[in-house]
Amino acid sequence: MTGFSVEAEAVAQRLRDGMAGGVLSFPLTSFREDGELDPEAYRAYLTDQLAAGPGAVFPACGTGEFSALDEDEYRTVIETTVEVADGRLPVVAGIGYGWAQARRFAQIAEEAGADAALVLPHYLVEAPQDGLVEQLRRIAAGTRLPLIAYQRGPVAFTPDGLRRIAGIPTVIGLKDGHCDLDRLQRLTLAAPDGFLFFNGAATAEIQARAYATVGVPAYSSAVHAFAPEIAGAFFSALRDGDETTLTKLLRDFYIPLVELRDRVPGYAVSLVKAAARLRGLPVGAVRAPLNDPGPADLAELQRILDAGLHLVGAVRRPAR
């Protein structure tokens, strides 16, 4: 069994319960036309997101442009999320950079009322296992929040490294973005019972069936950020073993979306935000260094979105 603290185990159980009933929501962060944070637009957008019934909400993470937020903006985003969630589902705030700055963001998230934190991959440098473990130990020493590690880019745990971070009483899980199922299977087998694993692949639905075969059925859904109807239909089909619906959604919506996403660096966020605008959601543009898609890609995105909405019988909402 895990060695979680009592508080961490309570949060872990809430996440287990939530993941069994819905996708994990990673909301976008709303900006005005001048690029400034728009708290009221974010509140309206998030209210719409949570009405769709996700299992948990992860504000200010990759999809939420964490790296583009200053500390005051970050505090506003987390406080607003906690207020809108109102205890109905877990709020897991993104934190990141080196351990000293990650601890600072964790303290802000803790003060704002978040339930846990997702430790985003550190910046630029590669590191050995000892360093990756020490990074989490130092972050954990500076906050009471339960932590979920995120392996992607320069962060990749070995089974021994996984066992060591699982021994930190407030580290409750691992989100994987490497899509290496051989490595992931070794990690799940090395983990203590009850340790949480999350599919964090870009457009995670593409990998969802494969991840489930190695014991990782829970996943984050960027599609939920702009089309919760599609994300919800896919989740239900996956849970119910409805291969016909899964195949249609993958072939006619998710695969075309991924092919468009892969054309331009940063489209994993930029396209999501553009799709939300196409649906009339008040999210604004992305911040540099990301770029919004041009007219041709927007037109193709609209076709893909319309196809997905048609598949699930949802109504197209006009862009604002």
Side-chain angles (χ1 to χ4, degrees), residues 57-295:
V57 59
F58 289 65
C61 293
T63 307
E65 297 180 79
F66 166 78
S67 63
L69 301 174
D70 66 27
E71 290 188 6
D72 289 339
E73 292 170 330
Y74 176 84
R75 183 185 296 274
T76 298
V77 168
I78 305 307
E79 286 178 344
T80 302
T81 306
V82 170
E83 290 172 9
V84 174
D86 195 26
R88 292 172 293 162
L89 74 173
V91 175
V92 184
I95 63 173
Y97 305 117
W99 65 262
Q101 190 63 29
R103 272 169 50 156
R104 174 62 186 150
F105 279 103
Q107 289 162 3
I108 295 171
E110 187 176 325
E111 292 165 3
D115 297 292
L118 176 67
V119 183
L120 301 169
H122 62 265
Y123 173 68
L124 190 60
V125 296
E126 295 189 12
Q129 292 296 299
D130 286 349
L132 296 178
V133 174
E134 183 64 17
Q135 166 101 329
L136 282 172
R137 283 181 177 150
R138 287 181 177 265
I139 296 170
T143 178
R144 294 193 302 271
L145 290 179
L147 303 176
I148 298 167
Y150 188 4
Q151 65 168 17
R152 190 170 185 157
V155 178
F157 288 99
T158 64
D160 178 66
L162 187 284
R163 282 188 286 266
R164 291 161 66 190
I165 67 170
I168 302 170
T170 55
V171 174
I172 62 174
L174 178 74
K175 182 182 179 185
D176 174 72
H178 284 297
C179 306
D180 182 338
L181 295 184
D182 179 281
R183 175 191 291 269
L184 185 58
Q185 181 70 94
R186 294 168 191 265
L187 295 178
T188 61
L189 293 173
D193 291 343
F195 195 78
L196 304 178
F197 284 91
F198 307 83
N199 168 2
T203 316
E205 285 91 343
I206 295 289
Q207 305 281 355
R209 287 189 289 192
Y211 268 77
T213 64
V214 296
V216 184
Y219 61 91
S220 56
S221 175
V223 170
H224 190 277
F226 64 86
E229 307 96 323
I230 299 173
F234 186 94
F235 178 87
S236 295
L238 183 66
R239 179 194 59 200
D240 298 341
D242 181 354
E243 293 295 325
T244 299
T245 298
L246 289 176
T247 298
K248 287 181 179 178
L249 286 170
L250 287 169
R251 182 188 59 216
D252 297 336
F253 172 74
Y254 283 99
I255 294 295
L257 181 66
V258 167
E259 289 175 347
L260 179 57
R261 180 202 73 196
D262 288 347
R263 290 181 190 171
V264 178
Y267 263 17
V269 176
S270 299
L271 279 184
V272 172
K273 213 162 200 186
R277 292 195 302 273
L278 290 174
R279 300 212 69 201
L281 300 172
V283 297
V286 293
R287 277 181 170 174
L290 301 178
N291 287 327
D292 289 311

